[in-house]
Amino acid sequence: MSQVAIVTGGTRGIGAAISTMLKDNGFTVAAIYAGNDERARRFNEETGISVYKWDVADYEACQAGCAQVAADLGPVDVLVNNAGITRDTTMHKMTHEMWQEVIDVNLGGCFNMSHAVFGGMRERKYGRIVNIGSINGQAGQYGQVNYAAAKSGIHGFTKALAQEGARANITVNAIAPGYIDTDMVSAVPEAVLEKIIAKIPVGRLGKAPEIARGVLFLVSKDAGFVTGSTLSINGGQHMY
Ligand code: NDP
């Protein structure tokens, strides 16, 4: 029987590439999105992947949504916490709302979703969780106090949960992407983007499938000795 994977933010950008790569490699995938019905509908039509709409920042919605996915597709073996948003501005202009929204979706979403599936994984003694962090959670970024804090938090979350899951054969890892060519990066002004690309040793933005390839490795059954780690996929932009 094929394994069931939930990919949050799985209908666009990096998440869409992850959903598709998992499906192409035999997983039954549920792609979660927040509000862009048109993109989700098109994604479903083009790939046949089931799409579900809920807000990962909403704890109750995550509980109900994950239960629905399990009822429709089967017990959840794999969770990819990929949903993320930005609300960029400098500290002195950042509102409390911009701070809270980014923390609630990017970091709170990881907790809400992991909490909804972790118990079942423990009972079945198997699970794979991959959290999508960011180069900007590792290195910081001007105008992204909220985003860098949330993404940095994901890296700590990953290492702590990895320790709790280890004996139950549940691995928890993170991927820290560099700049990837998606809608999120299209929102960056062109002049700023040129300066960013100039700092990437490989000389280009990354492509979403290059992140998906890393996810596919981390969720494979053979990767059971890899846990609590962060895989940086960033064209050499940040090494540590
Ligand atoms: P996109 O903006 O292209 O897509 C975001 C996806 O997340 C969409 O499917 C969106 O749904 C979904 N989403 C957003 N908020 C919520 C929510 N509250 N509940 C459920 N789903 C939600 O993002 P990217 O593909 O660029 O980024 C994916 C991840 O990778 C993010 O975590 C991002 O921070 C991280 N990342 C991206 C980098 C990049 O260069 N692009 C670099 C480093 C990290 P909908 O379509 O309904 O809006």
Side-chain angles (χ1 to χ4, degrees):
M1 212 174 76
S2 89
Q3 292 184 67
V4 173
I6 293 183
V7 182
T8 69
T11 56
R12 279 201 288 132
I14 293 171
I18 296 169
S19 298
T20 308
M21 194 164 289
L22 293 184
K23 184 194 173 208
D24 290 348
N25 283 275
F27 291 81
T28 301
V29 178
I32 316 309
Y33 73 104
N36 193 329
D37 297 318
E38 176 52 26
R39 286 289 289 271
R41 190 189 56 76
R42 239 190 303 149
F43 178 76
N44 168 260
E45 271 176 19
E46 286 166 9
T47 65
I49 290 171
S50 308
V51 297
Y52 294 80
K53 179 177 175 178
W54 74 75
D55 177 3
V56 297
D58 180 337
Y59 178 83
E60 300 299 339
C62 291
Q63 293 284 325
C66 289
Q68 188 61 53
V69 170
D72 294 347
L73 307 178
V76 178
D77 306 293
V78 172
L79 169 64
V80 184
N81 283 312
N82 163 79
I85 57 166
T86 50
R87 298 288 181 266
D88 294 353
T89 194
T90 47
M91 182 63 152
H92 64 289
K93 292 186 194 152
M94 189 173 288
T95 61
H96 183 259
E97 194 183 4
M98 292 164 91
W99 163 263
Q100 200 62 50
E101 215 181 329
V102 167
I103 298 291
D104 286 350
V105 172
N106 295 21
L107 184 55
C110 268
F111 172 79
N112 295 340
M113 289 297 298
S114 301
H115 203 245
V117 301
F118 199 70
M121 288 178 172
R122 285 188 69 206
E123 276 165 25
R124 294 186 300 279
K125 299 237 174 304
Y126 184 81
R128 296 280 181 265
I129 297 178
V130 178
N131 303 314
I132 305 299
S134 169
I135 188 173
N136 294 346
Q138 297 171 309
Q141 178 62 281
Y142 185 93
Q144 286 197 324
V145 161
N146 49 2
Y147 184 82
K151 291 298 191 181
S152 190
I154 283 178
H155 296 301
F157 176 95
T158 299
K159 291 180 206 176
L161 192 59
Q163 293 179 32
E164 294 186 20
R167 288 296 165 94
N169 200 18
I170 302 166
T171 66
V172 187
N173 291 288
I175 290 185
Y179 284 82
I180 310 299
D181 193 6
T182 68
D183 295 345
M184 186 180 270
V185 164
S186 323
V188 176
E190 204 170 313
V192 178
L193 202 53
E194 272 174 29
K195 284 187 192 154
I196 290 170
I197 293 172
K199 286 189 192 145
I200 303 175
V202 303
R204 63 170 175 84
L205 294 174
K207 301 183 184 90
E210 292 177 308
I211 304 301
R213 178 68 56 192
V215 173
L216 181 63
F217 164 66
L218 291 171
V219 304
S220 69
K221 282 192 170 160
D222 294 345
F225 204 57
V226 185
T227 195
S229 73
T230 296
L231 179 57
S232 297
I233 307 180
N234 61 29
Q237 192 180 349
H238 181 68
M239 306 179 193
Y240 83 122

